[in-house]
Every structure is written in C-alpha cells, then in structure tokens.
Amino acid sequence: PWMRNAGVFSILVTFAYYLLTPILWCSILRDEAICPGNEDGDSPNSVHGWLTSLYFASTTSSTVGYGDVSIFGGGDELTEPEGWRIFIAILFMILSLIVSIVGFQAGLDSNFELFRRKLDLFASRVVEILKDGGVIKERSRGDDVFSKIWYAKIMLLSEIFIIFTILNLLGVFSLQFSIWLSEEDIQISWMKSLYWAVQTTTTIGYGDVTPPEGFRWFLLFYLAISTYAVGSAFGKLRDFSA
C-alpha cells in the first residue's frame, strides 16, 4: 500500500538516488572532479567530497546544471576524463532524468494539496466578504457557472504566483544570510541574488553567480523543491488552458 502513496514513493526514490550518488562517485569511482578532497588533502570519501557529490546530484536531477561540478572539473580547471567515465556520466544523467520525472513529480500533488486547500478556503472567504459588502453582486445561475470557472482559473494563477514568489524570496534571503556567515570574500547584491534565485527556481541555471561553498547544504533541498514547483506550474498551466 505504501508504494501507492505518491508522496512516500517520491521520498523513497529521491533518498535512494541521493544515497547512490556519493557511493558511486566517491567510494566506487573515486572521481576527484565530482568528489574532491578538501584543502587539507583528505580523500574523496571525506565529508567535503560527499557534500560536493550530493550537490552534483541536486544540480543534475533538477536540470539546473550550473556547470561548477562535473566529470570535466569546474570553472577554468577542465580535464579530459577517460571515455568510460564519460559513458557512466551519460548513464547517470539519464538516471537523474528518470528520478526527476518518476520520483519528484510523482509526489508533487500530494505535497502541495494542503496548501491548495488553505488557499482556496482563504479565497472563498474573501469572496463571501465582498458579496456581503455589496462589492460583488449575486448573478444568475448561468453567470454563476461562468464565475466559478473564472474563479478557479484565478486561483490557479494565484497559487503559481504565490509559490514562485515565496521560493524566490527564500532563495534571496538564504543566499544573503549565507554570504553574511561565510568567511569567503564574496559580494553579491540583493538584485543579483534575485537574479540567481529566479534562474534556479526556473531550472535555467546559467552558472554565472557563485554562492559560498557552504551554501551547497541549502541547495540540496532548494533545488529539489524548485523542481517540484516548476513541474507543478506546468501542470497548472495545462489545466488553465483546458
């Protein structure tokens, strides 16, 4: 029965994927591009290496792909790995796409159902208040059907806008807080932080803004949630045109 629950199935698939990634790249392949040691010379199996590999898993499965971690290295330090490693990376990308579709999107509706109910309840209450105040007039049955369709579409667009706004504001403030805590000499303006957040939540990921390295802990969750939100938005836009 638990396999029929979309939310539980999504969590299990995602957990298995994140567990597989560091085992594959750090323990089995010991790839120093995806699973590097830290400045103290630790092996790829160090905490730093596992964090980088988990970050790599998030950017791959979310299709953001900043390009700062890959089998070819990152930044200006590019290398040419063996052909078989490239082939494994291709298979990993295909697996990541499957996880994104089957795992992430399967649990999407169940994850946001509570939010939708609360938003709909709030909107219904606002409409009732406006009717009581005479701002909205009662209509005939035919007009009422049209109003319900119009109301449903407005609620759909409102939900997309609210989730998108909350996600981006969360990204902006989290990035600025990370910069404030970081010992690295990084200066990113609030507008540039918003630019980074939008390219992340839309899964575009140009990779032209570099947050502090410790920010990757937050990105492990933020990228997955962004993938959920984008899939939800596409689904709602499809329903909107129906």
Side-chain angles (χ1 to χ4, degrees):
W2 55 269
M3 286 295 291
R4 299 177 183 176
N5 187 298
V8 175
F9 180 72
S10 173
I11 293 174
L12 290 176
V13 170
T14 305
F15 177 78
Y17 170 75
Y18 276 98
L19 181 63
L20 170 66
T21 301
I23 292 176
L24 173 64
W25 294 105
C26 299
S27 299
I28 299 176
L29 299 178
R30 301 182 69 84
D31 192 294
E32 294 189 359
I34 294 177
C35 194
N38 58 24
E39 296 178 354
D40 297 331
D42 289 342
S43 68
N45 271 310
S46 65
V47 174
H48 175 75
W50 275 59
L51 170 60
T52 305
S53 66
L54 290 173
Y55 169 74
F56 171 71
S58 292
T59 56
T60 305
S61 62
S62 64
T63 71
V64 173
Y66 293 121
D68 51 348
V69 178
S70 76
I71 61 169
F72 293 94
D76 298 328
E77 301 178 0
L78 299 180
T79 59
E80 185 69 27
E82 299 92 330
W84 64 271
R85 286 183 180 270
I86 299 177
F87 180 71
I88 291 178
I90 293 173
L91 295 179
F92 183 79
M93 286 189 290
I94 296 174
L95 172 65
S96 300
L97 179 62
I98 295 174
V99 169
S100 179
I101 296 174
V102 177
F104 289 168
Q105 304 305 325
L108 184 61
D109 290 336
S110 61
N111 288 339
F112 285 102
E113 186 63 31
L114 179 62
F115 173 79
R116 290 180 184 144
R117 289 200 302 266
K118 289 185 177 298
L119 178 63
D120 189 64
L121 182 63
F122 171 76
S124 299
R125 181 56 182 162
V126 171
V127 171
E128 290 299 325
I129 293 175
L130 293 177
K131 284 183 178 181
D132 293 340
V135 178
I136 298 179
K137 296 182 180 180
E138 294 290 343
R139 299 175 181 271
S140 63
R141 179 170 298 181
D143 291 338
D144 190 55
V145 172
F146 176 79
S147 298
K148 287 182 178 179
I149 297 175
W150 175 85
Y151 167 78
K153 291 188 174 184
I154 292 298
M155 288 300 98
L156 212 59
L157 291 177
S158 298
E159 183 181 343
I160 295 175
F161 176 77
I162 292 173
I163 293 176
F164 184 74
T165 300
I166 292 176
L167 272 178
N168 281 281
L169 289 177
L170 176 63
V172 169
F173 284 101
S174 298
L175 178 56
Q176 287 295 322
F177 183 68
S178 176
I179 294 173
W180 180 69
L181 291 178
S182 176
E183 297 179 355
E184 303 175 46
D185 186 16
I186 297 178
Q187 298 294 329
I188 300 178
S189 67
W190 285 90
M191 185 58 67
K192 196 172 182 179
S193 296
L194 178 61
Y195 168 79
W196 169 86
V198 172
Q199 67 169 268
T200 299
T201 53
T202 55
T203 72
I204 293 175
Y206 293 120
D208 49 359
V209 179
T210 305
E213 188 167 329
F215 192 59
R216 290 177 176 177
W217 285 109
F218 171 78
L219 285 174
L220 295 181
F221 306 97
Y222 190 65
L223 291 173
I225 295 174
S226 298
T227 303
Y228 284 149
V230 169
S232 177
F234 277 117
K236 290 180 181 62
L237 290 176
R238 179 193 59 198
D239 296 338
F240 182 82
S241 60

